[in-house]
C-alpha cells in the first residue's frame, strides 16, 4: 500500500504543476486573442501592413498555444486518472472497498461453476480482479474466467503476468489511458458494426469529380491574383455553387458511413494511444511479444492507422457544422475527399480492426491479473503437470482477509476424491470454494492463494449453490438433479475437478443418504477428482469399500469456556463433535 500512497502524492504534485501551466497558457491565449482582434481592428482602420503582419504572427502563436493547451489538458486527464487508480488501490487494500465493476451481467446460472463460486457479482472474484477500463478488456477478463486454458497457454500467461506485474509505471499508464477514453459497450459495438458494414466504392467518376472543381477554383483564384480580372471571381462563384450540388449527391453516402458513429473519434484515438503504448514497450515473454506482433502492419503501425481513423471520423463529424460544411465543401469538396479516405481506410484495415482491439482486451486482462499478483506478493504461481495430480500447501480463499484466513494442506493423490464432514460454520463450504476458486485462477495463469501448488488444470464442475427457478416452474431439488446430470455428462470420457456441497437436500434422509452414496460411487467410477461435503456419517463409510479412491477429511469444532471454537484446520478422518445440540441448549431452543 505504501507504493500506491507515494505514487499518489507524486502524481498530485505533478498535477498541480500542470494546472499552473494550464492556467498560464489559458491567460496567454486570452491575451493573444484580444491582441488579434485589436490588430485586426487597426488594420481595417488604417490599412497598415504592420497590423496585418501582426495579425498573421499572432494567429500562428494562437494556434501553437491551442495545441500546447490541448496537450497539457490531455496530460492533466492522464494524471487525474493515475491518481484515481492509486486511490482505488489504497481504498481496496485498506478497507476492502471494491470500486470496480462486478461483471454481474456475465453471471450464468447454467455455467458449471460461475454462480456457485461467486465468479461474478458483488464481492466476486471478477470484481476483485477487474482493473479493466475498456469494454473489450472487461469481456476478455470475464470470458477468461469461464474456461481453463491449455497447459501451454497457462505457462505463457504465467510468464506474461509475472513480467507485467513488475512494470508498475507502464501498467498504470496503460490503465490510465484506457480510463480516460471512457469506453463503453455501445461505442465498441458502433466501431465493430461500422468496420463490418458494406460500403459503396468510390468510383473513378467520383474521384475525377472530387478533384476537378477544386483544382479549377484554385487556378481561378491564382489567376485573379495575377490579373485582377473579375471573371475569375465569377467562375469561383459558379463553381462554389456547383460544388455544393456535388456534395449534396454524396450526402446520403456520407451520412450512411457516419450513422451511429457520432463522437467515437475520441475513443478511437485512445485505442490508438493504448496500442502505441504496447508498440513502444519492450517485452520479454512470448505471450506479450506474440500479442505485440499482431499489431504489425506491412506499411505502417496499427497505432498510426487508428490515429488516422480517429482524425477521419472527426472530420466527417463536421458535416453537421453549417459553416464548415458550406465553406469547405463549396471550395474544396472537403467531405467528399474525407469520405474517399474513410472508404480506403475501411478497405485496407477493417479486417484487422477487431484483431487490434482484441489485443487491447488481452493486455487489459493480463494487466488485471498482474495487478492481482502485485497486490498479493505472497501468492504463488502453481507448477503445472499432465498427470492429473492436484496438491496445495497452505491453501486458502484469495478473497478472505490475509490477516485472518487459515491455510490448509491438501492433496488428491493417491486418493482422488475426498468426503468432507464437519458441523455448520466449521469451514466446509469455504474450503470447497477455496479449492474451486484457486483452480479457476490456476487455469488462467494467475497466482493462487497458497504457498506451493502442483496442478493439472482441468474442467471444473460444481454443485454448491442452487436456487429455485420459479420462472421455469422448477424446484430447487429438480434444479440440483439437473446440475448433477450435467456434471455426470461432462465426466463422460473426460476427467474433471468436481466439488459438491451437501447434495440432495430436497428429499428425506434415507433417500438423501443412499443417493449421495451412489453419486460418490459414480464419481469415482468416472475418475473424478475433487470433494463432496456431507453431514451424513454413513456416507463416509464408503471409503471402506473404495480405500484407494476415497479419503475422509473433516473440520472439527471445540467447546472452550462454554463457547464454540473453530480453528478451520483440515484433519484426517470423520467429524466427531456436534455443535447443533450445544447451540440450541445455549440459546434456549431446547
Amino acid at each position: 500500500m505504501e507504493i500506491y500512497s507515494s505514487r499518489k502524492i507524486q502524481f498530485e504534485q505533478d498535477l498541480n504543476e500542470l494546472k499552473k501551466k494550464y492556467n498560464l497558457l489559458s491567460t496567454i491565449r486570452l491575451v493573444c486573442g484580444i491582441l488579434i482582434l485589436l490588430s485586426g481592428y487597426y488594420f481595417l482602420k488604417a490599412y497598415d501592413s504592420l497590423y496585418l503582419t501582426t495579425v498573421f504572427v499572432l494567429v500562428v502563436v494562437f494556434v501553437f498555444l491551442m495545441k500546447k493547451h490541448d496537450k497539457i489538458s490531455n496530460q492533466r486527464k492522464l494524471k487525474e486518472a493515475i491518481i484515481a487508480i492509486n486511490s482505488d488501490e489504497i481504498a481496496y487494500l485498506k478497507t476492502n472497498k471494491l470500486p470496480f465493476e462486478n461483471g454481474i451481467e456475465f453471471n450464468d446460472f447454467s455455467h458449471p461453476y460461475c454462480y456457485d463460486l461467486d465468479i461474478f457479482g458483488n464481492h466476486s472474484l471478477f470484481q476483485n480482479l477487474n482493473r479493466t477500463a475498456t469494454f473489450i478488456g472487461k469481456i476478455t477478463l470475464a470470458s477468461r474466467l469461464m474456461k481453463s486454458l491449455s497447459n501451454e497457454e497457462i505457462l505463457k500467461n504465467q510468464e506474461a503476468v509475472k513480467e507485467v506485474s513488475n512494470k508498475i509505471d507502464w501498467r498504470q499508464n496503460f490503465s490510465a489511458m484506457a480510463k480516460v477514453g471512457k469506453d463503453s459497450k455501445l461505442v465498441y459495438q458502433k466501431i465493430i458494426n461500422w468496420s463490418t458494414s458494406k460500403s459503396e466504392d468510390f468510383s473513378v467518376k467520383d474521384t475525377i469529380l472530387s478533384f476537378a472543381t477544386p483544382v479549377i477554383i484554385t487556378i481561378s483564384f491564382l489567376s485573379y491574383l495575377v490579373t485582377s480580372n473579375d471573371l475569375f471571381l465569377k467562375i469561383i462563384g459558379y463553381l462554389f455553387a456547383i460544388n455544393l450540388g456535388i456534395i449534396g449527391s454524396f450526402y446520403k453516402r456520407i451520412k450512411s458511413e457516419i450513422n451511429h458513429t457520432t463522437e467515437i473519434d475520441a475513443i478511437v484515438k485512445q485505442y490508438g494511444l493504448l496500442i502505441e503504448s504496447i508498440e513502444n514497450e519492450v517485452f520479454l515473454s512470448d505471450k506479450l511479444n506474440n500479442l505485440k506482433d499482431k499489431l504489425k502492419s506491412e506499411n505502417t503501425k496499427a497505432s498510426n492507422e487508428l490515429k488516422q481513423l480517429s482524425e477521419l471520423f472527426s472530420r466527417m463529424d463536421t458535416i453537421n457544422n453549417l459553416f464548415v460544411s458550406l465553406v469547405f465543401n463549396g471550395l474544396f469538396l472537403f467531405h467528399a475527399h474525407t469520405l474517399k479516405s474513410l472508404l480506403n481506410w475501411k478497405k485496407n484495415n477493417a479486417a484487422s480492426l477487431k484483431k487490434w482491439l482484441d489485443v487491447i482486451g488481452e493486455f487489459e486482462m493480463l494487466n488485471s491479473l498482474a495487478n492481482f499478483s502485485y497486490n498479493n506478493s505472497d501468492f504463488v504461481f502453481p507448477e503445472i503437470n499432465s498427470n492429473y495430480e492436484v496438491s496445495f500447501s497452505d491453501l486458502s480463499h484469495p478473497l478472505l482477509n490475509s490477516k485472518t484466513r487459515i491455510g490448509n494442506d491438501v492433496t488428491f493423490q493417491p486418493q482422488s476424491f475426498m468426503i468432507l464432514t464437519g458441523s455448520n460454520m466449521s469451514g466446509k463450504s469455504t474450503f470447497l470454494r477455496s479449492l474451486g476458486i484457486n483452480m479457476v485462477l490456476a487455469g488462467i495463469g494467475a497466482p493462487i492463494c497458497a504457498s506451493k501448488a502442483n496442478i493439472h488444470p482441468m474442467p471444473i464442475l460444481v454443485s454448491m449453490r442452487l436456487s429455485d427457478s420459479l420462472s421455469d416452474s422448477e424446484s430447487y431439488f429438480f434444479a440440483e438433479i439437473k446440475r448433477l446430470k450435467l456434471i455426470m455428462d461432462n465426466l463422460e470420457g473426460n476427467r474433471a475437478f468436481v466439488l459438491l456441497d451437501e447434495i440432495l437436500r430436497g428429499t428425506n434422509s434415507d433417500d438423501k443418504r443412499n443417493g449421495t452414496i451412489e453419486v460418490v460411487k459414480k464419481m469415482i467410477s468416472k475418475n473424478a477428482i475433487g470433494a463432496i461435503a456431507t453431514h451424513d456419517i454413513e456416507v463416509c463409510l464408503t471409503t471402506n469399500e473404495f480405500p484407494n479412491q476415497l479419503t475422509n477429511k473433516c473440520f472439527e469444532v471445540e467447546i472452550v469456556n462454554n463457547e464454540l471454537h473453530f480453528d478451520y484446520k483440515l484433519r484426517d478422518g470423520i467429524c466427531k463433535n456436534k455443535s447443533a445440540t450445544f447451540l440450541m441448549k445455549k440459546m434456549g431452543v431446547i
Side-chain angles (χ1 to χ4, degrees), residues 18-31:
L18 284 172
K19 285 180 178 179
K20 292 176 183 178
K21 291 180 181 179
Y22 183 87
N23 293 334
L24 178 61
L25 277 174
S26 296
T27 302
I28 296 173
R29 192 176 67 168
L30 177 62
V31 171

Side-chain angles (χ1 to χ4, degrees), residues 213-232:
T213 52
V215 168
I216 296 172
I217 285 176
T218 303
I219 293 171
S220 298
F221 178 69
L222 293 173
S223 300
Y224 172 74
L225 292 177
V226 173
T227 65
S228 298
N229 190 333
D230 291 342
L231 174 63
F232 292 110

